[in-house]
Amino acid sequence: EAQVTQNPRYLITVTGKKLTVTCSQNMNHEYMSWYRQDPGLGLRQIYYSMNVEVTDKGDVPEGYKVSRKEKRNFPLILESPSPNQTSLYFCASSATGSPFQQYFGPGTRLTVT
Amino acid sequence: DQQVKQNSPSLSVQEGRISILNCDYTNSMFDYFLWYKKYPAEGPTFLISISSIKDKNEDGRFTVFLNKSAKHLSLHIVPSQPGDSAVYFCAASIMYSGGGADGLTFGKGTHLIIQP
C-alpha cells in the first residue's frame, strides 16, 4: 500500500530536549516536505526536499533541521524544542512530475512543555 | 502577509445542496492551484487541481473555477453529502519552466459542515 508514515504519532517533551520525527514514504517519490498546522494559521511549510541531498527552507524553518540522505526518508529534527513548536506536524511526498499532488502522512502531534 | 486566503473559517450546507468554498490569492506568480480535504486525525488528501491555463476543472461532484483577473478560485461540491464534512484547504504553487515546482502555499482552511 502506497503510504507516508510518521513516527511518533504523539509526543510530549520538555523544552530543550532534542527530538527527531521520522518520515518515510514507499512510493519512490523525489519530493518530500514538512508542514506544521496550527489553529487559525492553516498549513505552513517548514522545509522541503526536491531529491536526495537537496533541501530548502519553507516559510517557517526557524528552529528546525532536516536531512535527506535516502530517497525514502526525510526526518525532522528539533535540536532544542521550545513551547512555540507545539503543533501538529505533517510530512508529505510527491513525484517530481506531479509535485503538487502531495501525499500526506497521518500527522505527529507534538507538545513541548 | 498571507498569500492564499480563505476568508470563511466555516460553512454549513444542507445535504443535497451545493457547497461553494472560496479562496483568494495575492501572488500573481501562482499558476497552479489545488484543493485538499482533511478529516480529523488524518493527513490532508488531494482533491482536485487546476492550472492557470484553464478556468474550470471538473471531477465528479467537484468542480474548481479559476478567475485569474480577480485572483480568485472556488470549489463547488454538488450535491453535498455527509461524507463531505471536513476541512478544505486551498493551496497554490509556482511551476518551473523546466519541470518541478515551488512548495505549496496553503490557506487557513474552511470547515465544511453538511447538515442532514
Side-chain angles (χ1 to χ4, degrees), chain B residues 6-49:
Chain B
Q6 293 177 258
N7 292 319
S8 298
S10 67
L11 175 67
S12 184
V13 175
Q14 256 192 322
E15 183 179 356
R17 300 283 189 121
I18 181 172
S19 295
I20 301 176
L21 294 92
N22 293 303
C23 177
D24 298 293
Y25 61 96
T26 58
N27 188 344
S28 57
M29 297 292 291
F30 287 142
D31 53 9
Y32 204 90
F33 305 89
L34 307 89
W35 286 93
Y36 277 81
K37 177 179 180 179
K38 185 183 179 304
Y39 292 120
E42 294 182 12
T45 55
F46 169 75
L47 189 59
I48 192 170
S49 64

Side-chain angles (χ1 to χ4, degrees), chain A residues 6-64:
Chain A
Q6 297 178 225
N7 282 292
R9 294 289 313 277
Y10 303 90
L11 179 61
I12 301 174
T13 189
V14 295
T15 299
K17 186 177 181 181
K18 181 179 178 180
L19 67 92
T20 299
V21 183
T22 64
C23 173
S24 182
Q25 50 92 5
N26 62 1
M27 295 168 279
N28 201 36
H29 284 164
E30 295 84 7
Y31 185 98
M32 296 186 76
S33 182
W34 276 103
Y35 296 86
R36 59 179 288 174
Q37 183 187 4
D38 300 290
L41 295 177
L43 285 159
R44 294 179 294 168
Q45 190 175 51
I46 302 170
Y47 269 95
Y48 65 97
S49 169
M50 298 292 284
N51 214 325
V52 175
E53 301 293 359
V54 180
T55 63
D56 214 341
K57 295 178 180 179
D59 298 319
V60 288
E62 293 78 22
Y64 304 94

Side-chain angles (χ1 to χ4, degrees), chain B residues 5-113:
Chain B
K5 300 178 184 179
Q6 293 177 258
N7 292 319
S8 298
S10 67
L11 175 67
S12 184
V13 175
Q14 256 192 322
E15 183 179 356
R17 300 283 189 121
I18 181 172
S19 295
I20 301 176
L21 294 92
N22 293 303
C23 177
D24 298 293
Y25 61 96
T26 58
N27 188 344
S28 57
M29 297 292 291
F30 287 142
D31 53 9
Y32 204 90
F33 305 89
L34 307 89
W35 286 93
Y36 277 81
K37 177 179 180 179
K38 185 183 179 304
Y39 292 120
E42 294 182 12
T45 55
F46 169 75
L47 189 59
I48 192 170
S49 64
I50 188 167
S51 163
S52 61
I53 62 173
K54 293 185 175 182
D55 54 19
K56 177 183 174 180
N57 189 26
E58 196 170 350
D59 184 2
R61 296 187 297 114
F62 303 92
T63 303
V64 57
F65 295 92
L66 175 63
N67 182 334
K68 289 189 292 292
S69 60
K71 295 192 180 70
H72 176 83
L73 65 153
S74 60
L75 174 68
H76 292 211
I77 306 173
V78 183
S80 300
Q81 299 175 354
D84 296 331
S85 294
V87 176
Y88 290 79
F89 290 99
C90 173
S93 187
I94 302 168
M95 296 176 69
Y96 301 148
S97 58
D102 205 352
L104 290 174
T105 299
F106 283 85
K108 294 182 180 181
T110 296
H111 185 194
L112 176 64
I113 302 162

Side-chain angles (χ1 to χ4, degrees), chain A residues 40-99:
Chain A
L41 295 177
L43 285 159
R44 294 179 294 168
Q45 190 175 51
I46 302 170
Y47 269 95
Y48 65 97
S49 169
M50 298 292 284
N51 214 325
V52 175
E53 301 293 359
V54 180
T55 63
D56 214 341
K57 295 178 180 179
D59 298 319
V60 288
E62 293 78 22
Y64 304 94
K65 283 175 58 178
V66 292
S67 69
R68 187 88 183 276
K69 292 183 169 51
E70 307 166 277
K71 199 172 188 180
R72 63 181 293 127
N73 297 321
F74 190 44
L76 179 70
I77 303 156
L78 284 73
E79 295 270 3
S80 182
S82 61
N84 64 13
Q85 292 179 298
T86 292
S87 187
L88 179 58
Y89 291 87
F90 291 100
C91 179
S93 75
S94 66
T96 302
S98 56

